[in-house]
Amino acid sequence: MKGAIDEMAFCSDCGLPVQDGETHECQVLPVKVQPAATGGGQATGIALDKHTLLNLLLNPRAGLSLDSTKEALYGWIGIGGSIIGFFLWGLVLKLKLIWAFKDSFGGLFGNPAKEVPVASNLLVLGILSLATFLVLLWILGNWKGTKKLSFLDAIVKLGGMQLLSGAGFAVAALVGLVWLPGSYLIVSICLLSTLLFTITASLKLFGVDDRDYLPVLGGFSVAYVLVMLIASKLLLNGLTGLLL
């Protein structure tokens, strides 16, 4: 494709001059297929939007509008934030246990409380709990709901709603340093509110009819409680073995 400008012809693809009567071959790729170059290189698509994160903190239901093809990172941040916050609370519990043992025995027998895996066991329990929670909602939602979602789409949307609970667990960890009963209260409120918010949001997300609420909620409750009872028993048995 050629055009004449000021008696000089240029290739409309590569922009190089073209001599009359000569066969022209582009020496460079057309501009239209060149990757866009910016000062930030290829960082686009990775940068976090602070407004989106703040919105997820103030309004967890905003996670329902996340696009799994473009905003999947926010869903994983929500999940990771919840797990990390719960782990931090577990670290505070272990720290308080170490301090209590030291104060009671004055360090005469060492401090075996350091060997008790409180934080690590709570981390495992938190990961298993959240994974079971989200997977069950996805399975039951697709079973009874009219809106079928892929696993990734459901995890991103429901996972983004967990960011607030992560912040709550972190606050509980800070409170636990000075007032342990208060931290228990905060964690309980976070767990209960997250459970209610996420379940009600998932019913809407999957388009579950009102008449199907009972089988969905009943199936979720039975399966979730069984998994957590088994996991808790195994972890507690491990703690008991160490303490004895």
Side-chain angles (χ1 to χ4, degrees):
M1 187 183 296
K2 302 178 182 180
I5 302 177
D6 294 335
E7 300 182 354
M8 177 70 72
F10 296 88
C11 175
S12 60
D13 289 330
C14 66
L16 295 178
V18 179
Q19 300 295 330
D20 292 338
E22 293 184 0
T23 301
H24 172 71
E25 295 183 0
C26 295
Q27 301 299 313
V28 296
L29 290 174
V31 176
K32 59 183 178 182
V33 300
Q34 292 283 357
T38 61
Q42 296 183 352
T44 57
I46 300 178
L48 293 175
D49 184 358
K50 296 179 180 178
H51 296 290
T52 301
L53 290 174
L54 182 61
N55 194 28
L56 289 173
L57 277 174
L58 299 178
N59 179 25
R61 291 179 68 88
L64 298 179
S65 62
L66 290 176
D67 185 347
S68 61
T69 61
K70 301 176 182 179
E71 301 172 309
L73 184 58
Y74 296 102
W76 296 116
I77 288 176
I79 293 174
S82 178
I83 293 173
I84 292 173
F86 196 66
F87 178 63
L88 291 176
W89 181 66
L91 286 177
V92 170
L93 292 185
K94 180 171 183 177
L95 185 60
K96 298 290 285 189
L97 179 63
I98 293 173
W99 289 348
F101 192 93
K102 182 178 179 181
D103 293 340
S104 299
F105 298 96
L108 296 176
F109 308 101
N111 201 330
K114 293 181 179 180
E115 305 301 324
V116 180
V118 176
S120 58
N121 278 10
L122 283 178
L123 174 62
V124 173
L125 187 64
I127 294 174
L128 182 59
S129 173
L130 188 55
T132 303
F133 181 55
L134 296 178
V135 171
L136 282 176
L137 289 178
W138 173 66
I139 293 175
L140 295 173
N142 276 336
W143 172 44
K144 285 295 185 180
T146 58
K147 302 175 183 177
K148 310 301 181 182
L149 275 72
S150 67
F151 181 71
L152 177 61
D153 200 18
I155 292 301
V156 168
K157 294 179 183 298
L158 298 178
M161 297 182 65
Q162 312 307 308
L163 188 60
L164 179 59
S165 65
F169 294 145
V171 171
L174 293 175
V175 173
L177 291 173
V178 295
W179 187 35
L180 199 55
S183 74
Y184 292 144
L185 178 61
I186 295 174
V187 168
S188 299
I189 293 174
C190 286
L191 289 174
L192 182 60
S193 59
T194 300
L195 185 70
L196 294 176
F197 286 154
T198 309
I199 289 177
T200 54
S202 67
L203 294 174
K204 176 183 177 181
L205 178 65
F206 289 98
V208 178
D209 189 84
D210 295 353
R211 294 169 295 181
D212 292 324
Y213 278 12
L214 183 59
V216 170
L217 295 177
F220 170 83
S221 300
V222 172
Y224 183 75
V225 169
L226 284 176
V227 171
M228 296 315 300
L229 282 177
I230 294 173
S232 300
K233 182 175 177 59
L234 292 175
L235 292 175
L236 286 176
N237 286 342
L239 281 176
T240 304
L242 284 171
L243 292 175
L244 297 178

